[in-house]
Amino acid sequence: MGGAEGDPTPAQVARAVRERLEVCRLFGWQVPLDRGRIAPRPPAAPPAGRALSSATTPRVAAPPPAGPASSKDRPAREAALEPIRLEVAACTRCGLCRTRTQTVFGVGDPAARLMFVGEAPGYDEDRQGEPFVGKAGQLLNDIIRAMGLRRDEVYIANVVKCHPPQNRAPDAAEAGACLEYLERQIEVVAPELIVVLGAVAAKALLGTAEGIQRLRGKFHAWRGIPVMPTFHPAYLLRKPEEKRKAWEDVQLVMARLGLQRPERRRA
Ligand code: URA
């Protein structure tokens, strides 16, 4: 039996509670609960716009506006990234080339609607040649999953492509030398939205000296693409009490992309 028209059904309430618990499990118990009316389920019809990936099942509530990139196909973008990747692999623009095991270019869907930009590869990334594969990467995966996405549906890259020794932050000269590679990656992927992770990435991409606490929570822009700065996952591992703010940022991103949290699947 349903309630008055517009009221959530018991199944909708149960699903909303399950979703809240899942978000709290991922982001910590400080996540604010939405005590308002539970939004009705979005229509099940597939979106007309570009999906997050060709492999994506329909999860986008509102069709996104066709961006300039939507006419380019995935293999073309893959092919366009390849010469940049090769250039990066041979790069000697800064001293990090002497200590790296390998360069760490980027990973994910070259036609992704959403791109994450981190700071620089850590120890694990230097060994494996892929961004965000260590502990911070696991939390980033959790964040991506909490958005209802898979890691292979987004594109992930760093400002700096080589691991700075002793896990130090890259300096301004290193970030400056490498930034052009990231800019070219962004131009090829042409995401609808970029999430920059942490102050170093935000500073490099947005050219601002503002701290992440002031930058986060609002959209900025890079060459017309909306950019949401938020905390770096490594920072969230050290300061779990900040996860609530990160979740707020993620929700703004989801709303902008028309993403819905997925239903938790039964085993
Ligand atoms: N931190 C980053 O900023 N990037 C990575 O790839 C891993 C950790």
Side-chain angles (χ1 to χ4, degrees):
M1 266 205 346
E5 199 180 335
D7 284 348
T9 65
Q12 283 175 316
V13 172
R15 186 178 58 249
V17 169
R18 279 201 308 273
E19 284 179 5
R20 291 293 173 197
L21 287 173
E22 173 74 353
V23 170
C24 289
R25 189 180 66 74
L26 290 171
F27 280 88
W29 296 99
Q30 303 91 334
V31 173
L33 292 181
D34 173 7
R35 294 177 195 283
R37 184 175 164 275
I38 296 164
R41 208 168 151 65
R50 182 154 73 102
L52 270 141
S53 138
S54 61
T56 313
T57 44
R59 290 184 194 144
V60 182
S70 57
S71 58
K72 288 194 275 168
D73 64 4
R74 188 163 287 105
R77 290 180 212 210
E78 193 87 69
L81 286 172
E82 188 56 13
I84 313 171
R85 193 185 66 75
L86 293 174
E87 219 179 297
V88 166
C91 182
T92 56
R93 287 184 188 180
C94 77
L96 295 180
C97 66
R98 289 192 288 276
T99 50
R100 72 186 178 216
T101 303
Q102 58 192 313
T103 54
V104 178
F105 183 62
V107 72
D109 182 358
R113 293 177 62 203
L114 176 60
M115 183 163 175
F116 288 90
V117 173
E119 166 181 316
Y123 176 86
D124 295 309
E125 290 76 19
D126 178 63
R127 299 285 146 152
Q128 296 184 42
E130 182 171 328
F132 285 99
V133 290
K135 282 212 177 83
Q138 281 165 26
L139 181 53
L140 179 60
N141 290 347
D142 289 343
I143 291 169
I144 292 168
R145 220 174 291 127
M147 300 175 85
L149 300 172
R150 296 190 315 264
R151 186 175 160 99
D152 64 1
E153 290 178 304
V154 301
Y155 193 84
I156 306 171
N158 286 306
V159 173
V160 171
K161 311 300 191 206
C162 298
H163 171 50
Q166 281 84 50
N167 262 348
R168 67 167 170 78
D171 64 30
E174 291 158 351
C178 222
L179 180 63
E180 188 235 346
Y181 295 130
L182 174 69
E183 290 177 339
R184 286 161 65 193
Q185 282 174 293
I186 299 172
E187 296 283 5
V188 171
V189 176
E192 281 171 44
L193 204 152
I194 300 169
V195 173
V196 282
L197 302 165
V200 171
K203 191 174 171 184
L205 197 66
L206 298 174
T208 173
E210 287 278 16
I212 194 70
Q213 291 280 5
R214 292 184 70 95
L215 290 171
R216 61 151 293 275
K218 1 181 216 301
F219 286 102
H220 303 256
W222 181 86
R223 298 186 190 169
I225 301 175
V227 174
M228 173 59 74
T230 193
F231 297 118
H232 193 286
Y235 173 79
L236 294 176
L237 290 173
R238 294 193 303 275
K239 285 237 172 197
E241 64 273 21
E242 297 281 52
K243 287 179 178 176
R244 182 183 53 79
K245 291 185 198 161
W247 176 236
E248 287 167 10
D249 300 340
V250 164
Q251 284 179 303
L252 291 172
V253 168
M254 289 171 70
R256 189 82 175 234
L257 289 174
L259 294 174
Q260 299 286 324
R261 270 184 56 74
E263 270 192 79
R264 241 177 117 187
R265 291 192 184 86
R266 288 175 201 281

